[in-house]
């Protein structure tokens, strides 16, 4: 029992001093107890901090445990330390990041094709921010570089693994959007049809006026 | 911090198309550039201080609009491939499929944005190692010379510099940004404080003003100049930092 | 009373993330309570950690309060630190040091912008090693601290003054970079010229295209 207490004490110290998430396996190797015990102890710690309403918590990100400050105090913490500059991600960056996250490994050209625009600049800035990296080269003519997300990406987005992302199908545009896209691209036909509708209107048929 | 970057900044043709489709219900073959520009100027006015990133994205948007209008709808690479053989109908079908696919990722991007927003409130402990343990860290200065320091610095600069403002949508600037960078760096060395109006008073045309602006953004990004604009649409004050002198014609 | 609890919660968060010791005065400014209250609260926290036998403690050092790991676990902390990825640490430290050397005086924010990652921790450890120091505050909103290299830095590298650093070489972009710049800037002209080339080719005349 006493030994368990000691182990808890040590795990707390290690998580405290670490500068990256520590996996249960890593912790188990460092202090020579089994992984299940490590997991139990960390759960106990989490619960203790919650119960005692501490100003910090342990969260599981990128496959490991890490200490974070309590979100309620973010405003004060920001007065003290510099926010990571990646907190300001543009729409273009987020969209490119999601393409890479779901389709990795992926080439710049494929990203550009999906976005309909050269994405060189956005990819570069995501690399600079440490969110993606070159993971190799595609085995195709020209051997273009392929990209994937980094551990930092998982950390920053509070994900334990890339599998924790919601399935892409969830983001399928709804039917209204789809039909609006179709309608608009057939706008010429629609215009003709609306003219006809205009005529029908004389018969007392309610017509939806153009948007 | 009041960074209300809640604007819908879009960058590329697909995004633009979707936006037009959802918001304006316009025939995409007849994009009203004036209207879009006005809308963006409105956005910019609402921002307390001119955010350079937004301003540069605006340039991209404006240029993209012109490009779409002049070049048609399909992305350039596609013209070279078999898309040319498709009928007008098939082209549209293809475009619709791609727009829907793109919309899916756009939605996913928004969800990522929401996720980072909520995770942003957690700050990880990132403090330096306690003094007692400092000696255990590898001595990173072993075998490092001043030349190594310089090489490292140059590498970082290089890494940064090809994030040169992505000008792929401003295809034909006859004035290269590099030569502008050189020119401005030289000017600022002679006279470390300048105003944007002064700097562009002799510009031969709008494209030169744009090139000057992009070059300044680049210098700003490198941290060698500071920019200050007292009022919205007011003149921009440019001031060279001391570090500008350490750059030895870095852009040639 | 509730307010006191909140204040305790915040102070705990702040001390927990801080990179350097926080003085009672600094804490009192950050959260807008008086210094005496701050001192009381920190004493309470110290006592709580002792009573609950946490793996970390707050101690008062030169400059203020700082979190430390519990000395009983030093052996394990050493094991953890020795296993840190030396390359990662070294690279971050050298990058930050070279940026400060060539760009001083410089703020943490600018360092972060240039490196593309938050450099808080690295700056702290360079200060601890005596290679850089706070040289003042920038005259801009928020008056961020600015940093520069120390005498020790000069001694360590055998320099008389910072001006003796090797000058930066002319920036010569690599080939990929060059062609990417050219493509971006001259894409349309190139297309036209290619057309011309096509015509001239019939005569067998080699054509030199100038941008």
């Amino acid at each position: 029992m006493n030994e368990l207490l000691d182990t808890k004490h040590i795990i707390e110290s290690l998580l405290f001093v670490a500068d990256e998430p520590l996996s249960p396996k890593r912790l188990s190797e460092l202090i020579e107890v089994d992984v299940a015990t490590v997991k139990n102890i960390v759960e106990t710690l989490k619960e203790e901090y919650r119960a005692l309403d501490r100003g910090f918590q342990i969260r599981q990100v990128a496959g490991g445990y890490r200490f974070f400050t309590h979100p309620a105090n973010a405003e004060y913490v920001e007065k003290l330390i510099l926010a990571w500059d990646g907190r300001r991600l543009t729409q273009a960056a987020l969209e490119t990041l999601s393409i890479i996250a779901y389709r990795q490994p992926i080439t710049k050209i494929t990203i550009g094709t999906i976005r309909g625009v050269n994405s060189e600049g956005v990819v570069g800035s995501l690399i600079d921010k440490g969110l993606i990296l070159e993971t190799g080269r595609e085995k195709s003519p020209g051997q273009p570089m392929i990209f994937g997300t980094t551990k930092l990406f998982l950390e920053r987005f509070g994900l334990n693994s890339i599998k924790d992302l919601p399935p892409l199908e969830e983001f399928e545009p709804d039917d209204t959007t789809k039909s609006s896209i179709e309608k608009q691209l057939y706008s010429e036909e629609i215009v003709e049809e609306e003219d006809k509708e205009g005529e029908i209107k004389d018969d007392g048929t309610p017509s939806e006026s153009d948007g | 911090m009041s960074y209300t970057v809640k604007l819908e900044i879009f960058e590329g043709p697909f995004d633009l198309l979707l936006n037009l489709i959802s918001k304006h219900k316009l025939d995409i073959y007849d994009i009203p550039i004036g209207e879009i520009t006005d809308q963006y100027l409105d956005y910019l006015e609402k921002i307390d201080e001119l955010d350079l990133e937004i301003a540069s994205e605006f340039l991209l948007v404006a240029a993209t609009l012109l490009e779409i209008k002049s070049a048609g709808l399909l992305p350039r690479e596609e013209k070279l491939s078999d898309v040319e053989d498709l009928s007008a109908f098939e082209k549209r079908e293809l475009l619709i499929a791609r727009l829907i696919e793109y919309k899916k990722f756009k939605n996913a991007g928004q969800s990522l944005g929401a996720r980072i927003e909520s995770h942003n409130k957690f700050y990880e402990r990132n403090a330096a190692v306690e003094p007692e343990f400092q000696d255990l860290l590898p001595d990173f200065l072993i075998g490092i010379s001043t030349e190594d320091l310089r090489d490292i610095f140059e590498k970082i600069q290089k890494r940064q510099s090809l994030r040169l403002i992505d000008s792929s949508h401003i295809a034909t600037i006859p004035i290269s940004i590099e030569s502008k960078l050189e020119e401005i760096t030289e000017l600022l060395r002679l006279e470390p404080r300048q105003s944007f109006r002064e700097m562009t008073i002799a510009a031969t045309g709008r494209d030169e003003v744009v090139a000057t602006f992009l070059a300044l953004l680049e210098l700003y990004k490198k941290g060698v100049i500071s920019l200050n604009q007292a009022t919205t649409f007011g003149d921009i004050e440019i001031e060279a930092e001391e570090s500008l002198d350490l750059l030895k014609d870095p852009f040639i």
Side-chain angles (χ1 to χ4, degrees), chain A, chain B:
Chain A
M1 194 62 203
N2 210 346
E3 205 175 301
L4 251 187
L5 269 180
D6 279 355
T7 313
K8 190 177 89 171
H9 203 238
I10 297 169
I11 289 184
E12 201 173 31
S13 285
L14 291 179
L15 288 177
F16 175 81
V17 90
D19 70 340
E20 59 182 343
L22 292 181
S23 68
K25 188 162 163 286
R26 184 91 190 280
L27 282 167
S28 115
E29 286 160 4
L30 280 165
I31 49 184
E32 291 162 24
V33 295
D34 58 284
V35 170
T37 310
V38 168
K39 286 183 177 170
N40 277 335
I41 289 177
V42 174
E43 286 313 314
T44 315
L45 284 173
K46 279 187 184 173
E47 191 41 47
E48 282 179 18
Y49 301 152
R50 210 170 1 240
L52 293 165
D53 198 25
R54 297 261 72 117
F56 42 76
Q57 358 179 296
I58 296 176
R59 287 166 42 99
Q60 189 161 8
V61 292
Y65 303 114
R66 187 156 196 196
F67 265 115
F68 291 89
T69 54
H70 195 290
N73 303 328
E75 181 197 339
Y76 293 93
V77 172
E78 278 159 20
K79 280 187 182 172
L80 186 66
I81 68 165
L82 170 75
W84 176 62
D85 77 328
R87 280 161 207 257
R88 275 181 65 218
L89 287 172
T90 60
Q91 300 272 352
L94 284 170
E95 160 188 316
T96 308
L97 196 53
S98 76
I99 293 172
I100 297 169
Y102 283 101
R103 285 285 163 84
Q104 56 190 314
I106 187 171
T107 65
K108 275 186 206 168
I109 294 178
T110 315
I111 298 168
T113 312
I114 294 175
R115 295 189 59 224
V117 63
N118 176 344
S119 301
E120 191 92 19
V122 196
V123 168
S125 94
L126 289 173
I127 292 174
D128 286 341
K129 289 189 158 70
L131 294 171
I132 61 165
L133 83 175
E134 192 194 320
T135 55
R137 288 187 177 272
E138 203 179 61
K139 284 180 211 78
S140 68
Q143 303 201 310
M145 285 188 279
I146 47 179
F147 298 88
T149 52
T150 60
K151 224 172 137 180
L152 185 71
F153 165 78
L154 296 176
E155 282 185 51
R156 292 304 175 194
F157 286 81
L159 294 163
N160 195 32
S161 100
I162 202 76
K163 284 178 203 134
D164 287 354
L165 282 174
L168 188 59
E169 295 81 61
E170 267 180 33
F171 301 111
E172 190 84 31
D174 57 27
D175 291 343
T176 328
T177 310
K178 276 188 192 166
S179 72
S180 135
I181 290 174
E182 282 169 19
K183 244 191 229 156
Q184 285 307 315
L185 285 173
Y186 288 101
S187 53
E188 282 165 42
E189 284 91 325
I190 290 166
V191 170
E192 281 165 35
E193 249 146 358
E194 270 169 0
D195 286 347
K196 271 182 227 158
E197 262 182 80
E199 288 164 28
I200 298 167
K201 208 166 120 197
D202 296 333
D203 305 331
T205 319
S207 96
E208 294 226 12
S209 63
D210 60 312
Chain B
M1 272 179 218
S2 58
Y3 264 120
T4 44
V5 194
K6 291 273 174 274
L7 315 174
E8 283 205 64
I9 296 161
F10 40 63
E11 198 205 42
F14 282 1
D15 207 352
L16 181 67
L17 286 178
L18 280 180
N19 209 285
L20 292 170
I21 285 166
S22 64
K23 287 230 167 116
H24 306 275
K25 303 190 175 176
L26 296 162
D27 184 340
I28 47 168
Y29 292 99
D30 185 25
I31 298 162
I33 289 178
E35 195 179 301
I36 304 285
T37 309
D38 287 348
Q39 206 192 339
Y40 259 82
L41 292 177
D42 276 354
Y43 276 145
L44 288 178
E45 242 171 83
K46 282 181 201 138
I47 308 167
D48 307 351
E49 51 189 287
L50 182 63
D51 186 311
L52 291 171
E53 197 176 339
I54 294 171
S56 64
E57 295 228 14
F58 168 66
L59 276 175
L60 277 184
V61 171
T64 306
L65 282 164
L66 290 166
E67 187 181 294
I68 289 189
K69 199 162 186 177
S70 60
L73 286 167
L74 288 173
R76 210 178 287 176
E77 311 99 71
E78 293 269 334
K79 280 185 197 161
L80 305 169
S81 67
D82 46 7
V83 173
E84 283 206 324
D85 303 332
L86 298 175
S87 68
F89 179 79
E90 285 168 323
K91 273 186 192 168
R92 281 191 181 186
E93 286 292 301
L94 185 67
L95 185 58
I96 287 168
R98 288 179 53 178
L99 275 172
I100 288 171
E101 172 78 353
Y102 167 72
K103 176 73 178 158
K104 205 159 75 179
F105 284 108
K106 194 174 155 65
N107 291 343
Q110 263 162 14
S111 135
L112 272 187
R115 180 177 277 278
I116 202 171
E117 195 93 335
S118 69
H119 192 68
N120 265 349
K121 293 203 180 322
F122 294 92
Y123 283 85
E124 73 274 18
R125 206 182 115 79
N126 207 11
V129 173
E130 296 162 31
E132 289 92 314
F133 300 114
Q134 280 284 348
D135 292 343
L136 297 177
L137 295 175
D139 182 359
F140 48 82
L141 290 186
I142 284 180
I144 295 291
S145 66
T146 48
E147 279 74 24
D148 294 329
L149 279 186
R150 179 200 55 201
D151 293 348
I152 291 165
F153 183 70
E154 281 175 351
K155 227 166 114 189
I156 303 167
Q157 264 197 324
K158 218 176 270 182
R159 197 168 74 196
Q160 243 201 331
S161 70
L162 248 285
R163 273 180 294 151
L164 258 182
I165 306 286
D166 180 7
S167 53
S168 53
H169 289 275
I170 312 172
T172 46
I173 299 177
I175 300 137
S176 90
I177 296 170
E178 283 96 300
S179 66
K180 257 298 166 207
L181 276 168
E182 223 181 313
E183 192 186 317
I184 292 172
T185 308
E186 210 40 58
L187 277 173
L188 284 169
R189 278 188 189 146
L190 297 170
E191 182 56 65
R193 266 175 167 279
Q194 305 224 11
S195 90
F196 186 68
R197 290 213 174 116
E198 268 170 42
M199 201 173 260
T200 50
I201 208 157
T204 52
R206 189 167 296 178
D207 46 8
E208 191 176 348
V209 178
V210 170
T212 307
F213 186 62
L214 290 175
L216 285 171
L217 286 179
E218 189 53 31
L219 288 171
Y220 177 77
K221 250 168 60 179
K222 283 181 173 293
V224 296
I225 60 167
S226 63
L227 296 175
N228 183 29
Q229 191 177 32
T231 58
T232 315
F233 298 114
D235 200 359
I236 302 166
E237 272 176 42
I238 303 135
E239 191 172 351
E241 302 281 356
E242 280 168 40
S243 47
L244 187 77
D245 287 317
L246 285 166
L247 289 180
K248 239 181 126 197
D249 302 327
F251 305 109
I252 304 159

